[in-house]
Amino acid sequence: MNLFLKIQAYLGREPILDKELELQNDGDGDYISFWSDSLEKPKPTDAQLDALSSQATALENTAKIDAKRRTEYLSWQEQFEMIYKDQKNGTTTYKDHCDKVRSDNPKE
């Protein structure tokens, strides 16, 4: 499981690498080599991070779904064109497009 995602679950936000913390791997797996005193929580133990595996998996799955959705949404120019035409014609093309992307790629 990705150590960065476990730390993200622990903090409740995405930390800033190289400023707030540093991760290292010397061949035996990732570990925290630096934890800034400016972080709102103390450096977690391995047990605390291991307990967050399911939350980290959920974060990973959500990130995959978000990435897939980004590939299926049209360009911002095409989206603006749909919005303009929907307002002009009283249609719901833009909303329908967004609903389809979301239904095709549901989050947990």
Side-chain angles (χ1 to χ4, degrees):
M1 175 50 53
N2 188 318
L3 178 59
F4 183 77
L5 291 174
K6 289 179 183 180
I7 293 169
Q8 186 176 343
Y10 174 72
L11 292 174
R13 65 175 182 82
E14 190 171 320
I16 302 168
L17 284 174
D18 299 327
K19 180 179 178 187
E20 295 180 319
L21 67 96
E22 292 179 10
L23 303 179
Q24 192 166 332
N25 186 326
D26 297 329
D28 292 326
D30 294 335
Y31 66 93
I32 300 168
S33 60
F34 169 74
W35 187 269
S36 174
D37 292 336
S38 68
L39 283 163
E40 59 273 13
K41 291 185 176 183
K43 181 178 175 181
T45 64
D46 289 341
Q48 286 174 306
L49 292 174
D50 288 343
L52 295 168
S53 288
S54 62
Q55 285 177 266
T57 298
L59 287 171
E60 183 176 41
N61 291 341
T62 297
K64 287 178 183 176
I65 293 165
D66 286 344
K68 179 92 167 87
R69 284 182 178 185
R70 279 191 297 277
T71 66
E72 293 186 14
Y73 283 119
L74 300 174
S75 72
W76 65 268
Q77 293 95 338
E78 292 171 300
Q79 291 182 42
F80 275 120
E81 185 68 20
M82 280 192 285
I83 292 168
Y84 171 77
K85 288 180 179 177
D86 282 348
Q87 289 180 346
K88 184 177 177 184
N89 301 325
T91 56
T92 60
T93 307
Y94 176 71
K95 180 190 165 304
D96 297 342
H97 170 69
C98 292
D99 287 345
K100 178 164 179 21
V101 170
R102 288 183 179 113
S103 67
D104 288 350
N105 303 286
K107 291 188 178 180
E108 295 178 357

